Amino acid sequence: MTRYRIGLPLLVACTFLSGWGASARAETGALNVLTWCDHEDPALLEPFEKAHNVKVHYKDIDSTGAALAVIQQSHPGDWDVLVLDETDTGRLADMGLLSALDPADFPMADLFEGVSSPALNVVKGKMYSVPEKFGYNAVAYDSAHIKAQALADIQVPWSAEYKDRIAIYDYYVPIIAYAAQALGKDPEHLTDADLPALRDKLAALRHNAALVGDITTTQQALATGQVDILVGGGEWVTAGMHKDRPDLAYLVPKQGGIRWQQGIAVFASSGHKDLATAFAKYILTPEAQAKLATSSCYWGMPANRKAVLSEADKTILQWAQQPAYIARTATYPQLTSAFDKTLQKLWTEVMQNE
């Protein structure tokens, strides 16, 4: 399943590992990481680099597909650590790309209940990734124009009252899954039989929306007041802008929402597995979790409940609501290649029909 970047803030540029080649591969004292942008802050990396006398090199990716493309063009052992959508862990483990991890190396008991799911990271009895950050594709909104209680019902974005006050995040997987929830279906186990109802539900949502756009477009639309509601939004949209736009917030309706989860894994071909595992362990520490949660790239919930966040940051992330939000959200569906293409086709046809 291809997964596009969740939660880039406005005007964030991708950073790529410069000079990647034979010299970089041969470099000692380096750890090479394929990662999303939230792991690239110096404030996050420097404590690990100093503690282990190592330099962390990274290449910025925005999907599992992008990671696979890099791997295919690389030599075995080029890369040590991978940050991935945990719904892709099983597929990559089955491909032989990931090294099994020892749960005893990680603070599994400190992770939010419901976030650490064997269904996502355990294959044939072995764990291949550890959840490190998560968040929601549900509803982001401008509380200056619409109150939280008005959005408690998942059906609200389909109401004629909000026509042309809605933006839709242009990523088919979570929005189709969200529409499935609005239909009372299990979003993690969709089939071809669900497609007609999903098509109608998506078409009705599209008819109500002022725009369908990428992260930057929809975030700007919400921030500038072009729309009041972003379907598919979450803390990744609103939290990082809280200083300038404190009226922007997010919530998970009573019927549920979709939860994205990042995991960290070690490549099976890594020549530095001990160091790679040490990096994964570091990322799960309370101190690193706080820095990851409030990354300059995008905010999200730390998987570790002991993350040393300020009370103000916890309020912005809606910390107290997390047990309830987790309980009523579903993770991204694990799609076959064929069904993934079917959903992409459905999405394109419906969203371009207005």
Side-chain angles (χ1 to χ4, degrees):
M1 180 186 70
T2 301
R3 178 185 189 270
Y4 301 105
R5 177 76 51 75
I6 297 291
L8 282 172
L10 300 175
L11 305 180
V12 172
C14 292
T15 304
F16 290 90
L17 175 62
S18 61
W20 183 257
S23 60
R25 291 197 301 270
E27 184 179 346
T28 57
L31 190 72
N32 302 316
V33 182
L34 283 179
T35 179
W36 299 334
C37 61
D38 57 336
H39 291 69
E40 298 166 10
D41 284 352
L44 174 65
L45 298 178
E46 286 175 356
F48 178 82
E49 291 176 325
K50 291 180 179 179
H52 293 269
N53 192 28
V54 66
K55 181 65 178 176
V56 175
H57 294 308
Y58 55 81
K59 186 174 181 69
D60 189 287
I61 55 172
D62 60 8
S63 67
T64 299
L68 290 173
V70 172
I71 294 166
Q72 290 169 359
Q73 298 171 16
S74 304
H75 296 277
D78 278 0
W79 300 101
D80 302 301
V81 176
L82 174 65
V83 175
L84 77 167
D85 187 318
E86 278 215 296
T87 54
D88 292 326
T89 298
R91 178 158 65 98
L92 270 60
D94 285 340
M95 293 170 66
L97 293 175
L98 306 181
S99 179
L101 301 173
D102 185 351
D105 287 336
F106 301 93
M108 306 304 291
D110 295 336
L111 305 187
F112 275 96
E113 186 176 357
V115 169
S116 182
S117 171
L120 296 181
N121 56 28
V122 173
V123 179
K124 298 177 181 177
K126 295 182 179 180
M127 187 177 77
Y128 287 92
S129 69
V130 184
E132 47 150 47
K133 189 173 180 177
F134 67 96
Y136 305 98
N137 294 118
V139 178
Y141 64 101
D142 187 341
S143 65
H145 297 144
I146 184 170
K147 301 306 179 186
Q149 56 265 33
L151 293 173
D153 191 320
I154 199 171
Q155 305 297 338
V156 166
W158 281 267
S159 169
E161 179 182 355
Y162 299 104
K163 181 170 172 53
D164 295 329
R165 295 172 62 188
I166 294 167
I168 303 172
Y169 174 39
D170 190 12
Y171 180 26
Y172 67 102
V173 175
I175 307 305
I176 290 176
Y178 194 66
Q181 283 183 317
L183 289 166
K185 297 180 180 293
D186 179 357
E188 294 181 356
H189 299 94
L190 300 176
T191 68
D192 287 336
D194 298 312
L195 296 180
L198 284 169
R199 177 183 292 275
D200 290 345
K201 194 68 173 174
L202 290 169
L205 182 63
R206 178 65 186 93
H207 179 71
N208 240 20
L211 64 94
V212 180
D214 61 14
I215 292 164
T216 300
T217 300
T218 54
Q219 192 177 47
Q220 285 179 327
L222 189 66
T224 60
Q226 182 181 355
V227 300
D228 296 327
I229 301 170
L230 172 56
V231 176
E235 74 304 312
W236 54 270
V237 175
T238 62
M241 295 194 294
H242 183 80
K243 181 179 179 181
D244 297 319
R245 288 301 313 273
D247 290 334
L248 300 185
Y250 82 98
L251 60 78
V252 176
K254 61 185 179 182
Q255 295 93 335
I258 305 302
R259 189 171 74 250
W260 56 266
Q261 289 191 191
Q262 292 176 195
I264 190 164
V266 173
F267 279 109
S269 61
S270 170
H272 310 94
K273 287 184 180 177
D274 288 345
L275 185 62
T277 301
F279 183 74
K281 291 168 64 175
Y282 164 71
I283 292 296
L284 268 293
T285 62
E287 294 76 18
Q289 283 279 282
K291 294 172 183 175
L292 187 65
T294 57
S295 163
S296 62
C297 181
Y298 63 94
W299 285 40
M301 282 298 302
N304 191 334
R305 292 172 297 158
K306 294 184 178 179
V308 286
L309 291 165
S310 69
E311 289 304 314
D313 288 344
K314 286 184 176 182
T315 298
I316 294 169
L317 287 168
Q318 299 186 34
W319 190 274
Q321 296 293 327
Q322 294 310 305
Y325 282 177
I326 293 168
R328 64 177 184 257
T329 50
T331 57
Y332 282 25
Q334 300 182 54
L335 304 173
T336 65
S337 178
F339 197 58
D340 184 36
K341 291 178 181 177
T342 296
L343 294 186
Q344 289 185 49
K345 184 174 183 289
L346 170 66
W347 179 260
T348 300
E349 290 174 350
V350 172
M351 292 300 148
Q352 292 182 355
N353 198 35
E354 283 286 324

